Amino acid sequence: MTRILRTAAAQLGPIARDEPRAGVVARMIALLESAAAQGADLVVFPELALTTFFPRWFMEDAAEIDAFFETEMPNAATMPLFQRAKELGVAFSFGYAEIALEGGTRHHYNTAIIVDKAGQIVNRYRKVHLPGHPEHEPWRAFQHLEKRYFEPSPEGFSAVETLGGVLAQAICNDRRWPETYRECALRGAEMMLIGYNTPRHYPPAPEHDHLQDFHNHLSLQAGAYANGMWVIGVAKAGVEEGCDLIGGSAIVAPTGEIVAVAQTLGDELVIADCDLDRCAEIRSNIFDFAKHRRPEVYTRLTARD
Ligand code: CDV
């Protein structure tokens, strides 16, 4: 029996600061319906898919900040997406800003979930690697305040058995870290779902701005190849509130080859048939972990110093 997941990377174009969630969800449903009409099993949306990328602004007012967060999922705004996907029998994933009440304390996370074809949330991942800075840095053309608005995940990575395979999630900056893919691969993941918001301009090192698209695909392709897994990279793209976000949403095979890639910087589907059994092409060969890995000499990888 083949294990082919027809997967759609559902790239989103810019979302304005004042665009209501209902408008964004309507755009997501349009992409979902188009993907379903093309036989997709799984539709993957980007990081912080429901709102504009708000960490670009310095804010001090808690209510103003919390307005970008969701306190429950699904909620009134996203329920139409959950319902339509269930009617169509399509699984999906998306990122959002989460407020979680844990032990009587409110926590803020940059979160992504996987929802199966029956409409159940089967995986919830909170971003591990939070880039940026915690305080206002007015010298920047725009802020990147993820370290101010979010806490890093306390639980780390997870892999879930669903859709006949094993799926894992990461969020944006996580994709640049080789540890992300290896940790998930060791947990059995055969496909990584990774949404991102990546500005073309990186204020601390503007000399690398022209390399943003290259570094994006380099990271996705290297992660896929060195771990023998499918990688679905999905952008929020285009000029959002004056900030130029890269596109380049891509589906990468376990060989590291890009099999489908976005052509625009707007709402766009990138679709490919992902045969999960192809992971063995790499994992039973050059990266056969059981045969060739040497964890006993990798002692620095989990040590603090
Ligand atoms: N949303 C992100 O995590 N963006 C970061 C940038 C800005 C450093 C990224 O790695 O793409």
Side-chain angles (χ1 to χ4, degrees), residues 200-229:
R200 187 164 300 287
H201 173 53
Y202 183 65
E207 64 275 21
H208 293 164
D209 288 359
H210 69 291
L211 298 173
Q212 289 296 345
D213 291 300
F214 167 62
H215 287 161
N216 177 38
H217 285 166
L218 179 70
S219 303
L220 300 174
Q221 292 180 261
Y225 169 60
N227 296 281
M229 66 210 301

Side-chain angles (χ1 to χ4, degrees), residues 47 53 127 131 144 146 172-173 175-176 197-199 202:
E47 174 190 35
F53 189 76
K127 192 169 181 176
H144 197 103
E146 287 197 59
C172 196
N173 190 259
R175 76 193 187 287
R176 302 181 191 274
N197 283 260
T198 296
Y202 183 65

Side-chain angles (χ1 to χ4, degrees), residues 151-203:
E151 297 164 56
S153 168
E155 63 253 322
F157 297 99
S158 54
V160 62
E161 274 185 47
T162 187
L163 296 166
V166 183
L167 272 55
Q169 293 174 281
I171 300 177
C172 196
N173 190 259
D174 290 324
R175 76 193 187 287
R176 302 181 191 274
W177 297 83
E179 294 88 345
T180 295
Y181 305 87
R182 182 54 57 85
E183 178 67 27
C184 292
L186 290 172
R187 289 167 185 260
E190 298 170 302
M191 177 184 277
M192 299 273 324
L193 314 183
I194 310 179
Y196 57 91
N197 283 260
T198 296
R200 187 164 300 287
H201 173 53
Y202 183 65

Side-chain angles (χ1 to χ4, degrees), residues 96-303:
Y96 64 98
E98 176 196 13
I99 291 178
L101 194 59
E102 292 165 337
T105 309
R106 280 155 53 92
H107 296 274
H108 293 69
Y109 299 114
N110 186 342
T111 296
I113 51 172
I114 299 174
V115 182
D116 70 9
K117 290 184 176 182
Q120 296 302 310
I121 296 175
V122 293
N123 198 54
R124 183 198 59 210
Y125 168 74
R126 292 159 174 167
K127 192 169 181 176
V128 165
H129 302 99
L130 293 177
H133 48 105
E135 300 301 336
H136 193 210
E137 297 188 3
W139 62 267
R140 293 175 181 253
F142 49 84
Q143 305 295 296
H144 197 103
L145 289 156
E146 287 197 59
K147 285 198 192 296
R148 181 179 186 85
Y149 300 135
F150 301 116
E151 297 164 56
S153 168
E155 63 253 322
F157 297 99
S158 54
V160 62
E161 274 185 47
T162 187
L163 296 166
V166 183
L167 272 55
Q169 293 174 281
I171 300 177
C172 196
N173 190 259
D174 290 324
R175 76 193 187 287
R176 302 181 191 274
W177 297 83
E179 294 88 345
T180 295
Y181 305 87
R182 182 54 57 85
E183 178 67 27
C184 292
L186 290 172
R187 289 167 185 260
E190 298 170 302
M191 177 184 277
M192 299 273 324
L193 314 183
I194 310 179
Y196 57 91
N197 283 260
T198 296
R200 187 164 300 287
H201 173 53
Y202 183 65
E207 64 275 21
H208 293 164
D209 288 359
H210 69 291
L211 298 173
Q212 289 296 345
D213 291 300
F214 167 62
H215 287 161
N216 177 38
H217 285 166
L218 179 70
S219 303
L220 300 174
Q221 292 180 261
Y225 169 60
N227 296 281
M229 66 210 301
W230 288 91
V231 174
I232 317 299
V234 190
K236 170 113 78 55
V239 181
E240 185 178 89
E241 297 291 354
C243 182
D244 188 7
L245 300 172
I246 68 164
S249 300
I251 297 181
V252 186
T255 51
E257 295 164 287
I258 292 178
V259 297
V261 65
Q263 302 299 313
T264 74
L265 295 172
D267 292 8
E268 179 183 347
L269 289 174
V270 176
I271 300 183
D273 283 335
C274 304
D275 182 351
L276 299 179
D277 289 330
R278 288 198 59 200
C279 297
E281 288 176 27
I282 299 296
R283 285 204 198 159
S284 302
N285 290 303
I286 193 84
F287 287 115
D288 185 326
F289 292 162
K291 270 195 196 144
H292 309 306
R293 247 178 103 247
R294 297 283 319 283
E296 64 280 12
V297 301
Y298 306 152
T299 52
R300 292 293 174 94
L301 286 181
T302 53

